Amino acid sequence: MSQTEHGGPSFERKVPEGDDHPRLVCTDCGFINYENPKIVVGAVVSWDEQILLCRRAIEPRQGYWTIPAGYMELHESAADGARREAWEEARARIEIDQLMAVYSIPRISQIQLIYRARLADPEFGPGPESTEVGLYRWPDIPWDDLAFPSVHWALNHFHDLRDEKAFAPRGNPPDASG
Amino acid sequence: MSQTEHGGPSFERKVPEGDDHPRLVCTDCGFINYENPKIVVGAVVSWDEQILLCRRAIEPRQGYWTIPAGYMELHESAADGARREAWEEARARIEIDQLMAVYSIPRISQIQLIYRARLADPEFGPGPESTEVGLYRWPDIPWDDLAFPSVHWALNHFHDLRDEKAFAPRGNPPDASG
């Protein structure tokens, strides 16, 4: 790969031979850096009537509240990723019920797979990416301090579906693209 | 990024500072090549009692049969990606009913989002990645010549769910990892 003045790689965007989409191609060696949508896995986790929320210790949206969720890693299943994130962010062991929502955020090329889950036991606490973790009753959720639009979507879908046993997973709310 | 003798980039696998997973890091400039799971989007598409199948013109599994499916591109929703693949591979316009299955294939770090869909009209034909496209009744499906295990899974889930209106999307069959 070619080096820029500051020593980083130098890519240009062009359509490789035999392809039909523009890709990042190194101007020197021709290495093709395929960019792919990223997968976020997470869960709305409940205990009795309460929902587990984490206050973010890191950017983006440091200090705001979220459900446990994060980028899926290589060589794990989506459900394993959601369980891992619950542990990393909230030191929570969760039991996944079912896939609750699939959100598409094309602006940032992100797909979110959000599960409905329960705490396996009522122990939890902040992991390295959270400053606080708590269980909130519906009216006590810090609605004005949620980190991302999709956290609103997931909490509302969870609430709408609370009496449903088998359902098609929800998508983005109408006209909402995140 | 550093160059190897054959001119390509030279990466080593190590845990960057502040991270907790090994990443591919350039031995020269420190560029971190984050690898992420890839998303395949596709659909089991029906017309009356028949299912749309494509014979692959390309590797892997050239000559074998598949449902229209492929890698999700940047800046599209999952459903748009499934519609695009149906057009690219089978020149088919489809109407998506609902998300039918989410398969995780950790060995190759792949997530598959498979929709249940109908042909919008009975016109279709091979796109550049297919040599043949056809509608098959259940007993006439070329079961011995399907391209991938997940094609079997999707066809069987479609068949199991044919009378279901709202359902939780299926995952991998028990003990099947692809």
Side-chain angles (χ1 to χ4, degrees):
Chain A
M1 251 167 270
S2 72
Q3 307 291 314
T4 57
E5 284 174 32
H6 52 278
S10 169
F11 290 103
E12 64 174 336
R13 193 169 288 278
K14 66 175 188 179
V15 178
E17 194 180 326
D19 201 340
D20 54 2
H21 283 75
R23 313 289 179 187
L24 288 174
V25 180
C26 180
T27 53
D28 183 19
C29 72
F31 174 80
I32 301 171
N33 185 15
Y34 285 98
E35 300 167 290
N36 295 289
K38 292 195 174 61
I39 306 169
V40 164
V41 285
V44 179
V45 182
S46 64
W47 179 258
D48 293 333
E49 302 277 287
Q50 301 176 88
I51 294 171
L52 189 73
L53 293 175
C54 312
R55 193 166 196 174
R56 291 173 62 82
I58 55 172
E59 295 293 352
R61 303 289 283 163
Q62 184 176 351
Y64 289 83
W65 293 84
T66 186
I67 57 172
Y71 288 115
M72 191 174 162
E73 293 283 354
L74 293 179
H75 307 302
E76 68 183 358
S77 71
D80 284 346
R83 282 185 282 263
R84 176 182 51 72
E85 290 289 343
W87 176 254
E88 288 183 2
E89 300 190 355
R91 291 293 180 250
R93 280 168 295 275
I94 66 173
E95 289 166 356
I96 286 180
D97 168 26
Q98 65 167 289
L99 183 66
M100 190 189 78
V102 177
Y103 302 131
S104 290
I105 308 179
R107 181 177 56 85
I108 52 172
S109 296
Q110 195 179 86
I111 290 283
Q112 299 191 357
L113 302 177
I114 306 297
Y115 291 87
R116 185 165 76 173
R118 289 173 296 271
L119 279 178
D121 55 66
E123 294 187 27
F124 56 85
E129 296 179 8
S130 307
T131 57
E132 286 180 68
V133 176
L135 284 172
Y136 287 84
R137 291 184 189 282
W138 184 252
D140 300 330
I141 287 172
W143 293 106
D144 294 336
D145 294 316
L146 297 180
F148 307 107
S150 57
V151 178
H152 283 268
W153 307 346
L155 292 172
N156 282 310
H157 281 148
F158 179 87
H159 195 65
D160 294 346
L161 292 164
R162 63 196 182 283
D163 298 324
E164 301 290 329
K165 289 231 164 59
F167 55 84
R170 286 357 191 205
N172 297 24
D175 302 319
S177 61
Chain B
M1 249 167 271
S2 71
Q3 306 292 317
T4 57
E5 283 176 32
H6 53 279
S10 170
F11 290 102
E12 65 175 336
R13 194 169 288 277
K14 68 176 189 179
V15 178
E17 195 179 326
D19 201 340
D20 54 2
H21 283 75
R23 312 290 178 187
L24 287 173
V25 180
C26 179
T27 53
D28 184 19
C29 71
F31 173 81
I32 301 171
N33 185 14
Y34 285 98
E35 299 167 290
N36 295 289
K38 291 194 174 61
I39 307 169
V40 164
V41 285
V44 179
V45 182
S46 64
W47 179 258
D48 293 333
E49 301 278 290
Q50 300 175 87
I51 295 170
L52 189 73
L53 294 176
C54 311
R55 193 167 196 175
R56 291 173 62 81
I58 55 172
E59 296 292 350
R61 302 290 282 162
Q62 185 175 351
Y64 290 84
W65 292 86
T66 184
I67 58 173
Y71 287 115
M72 192 173 161
E73 293 283 353
L74 293 179
H75 307 301
E76 69 182 358
S77 70
D80 284 345
R83 281 186 283 261
R84 177 183 51 73
E85 290 289 344
W87 176 254
E88 289 183 1
E89 300 191 354
R91 292 293 180 252
R93 280 169 296 274
I94 66 172
E95 288 166 358
I96 287 179
D97 168 27
Q98 67 169 285
L99 183 66
M100 190 192 77
V102 177
Y103 302 129
S104 291
I105 309 179
R107 180 179 56 85
I108 52 173
S109 295
Q110 193 178 89
I111 291 283
Q112 300 191 356
L113 302 177
I114 308 297
Y115 291 87
R116 185 166 77 173
R118 288 175 296 272
L119 279 179
D121 54 65
E123 294 187 28
F124 56 84
E129 296 180 9
S130 307
T131 56
E132 284 180 69
V133 175
L135 284 172
Y136 287 84
R137 289 182 190 284
W138 184 251
D140 300 330
I141 288 172
W143 293 106
D144 294 336
D145 293 317
L146 296 180
F148 308 108
S150 57
V151 178
H152 283 268
W153 307 347
L155 292 172
N156 282 309
H157 280 147
F158 180 87
H159 195 66
D160 293 347
L161 292 164
R162 64 196 180 283
D163 297 324
E164 301 290 329
K165 288 232 165 57
F167 54 85
R170 288 352 191 207
N172 296 24
D175 303 318
S177 61

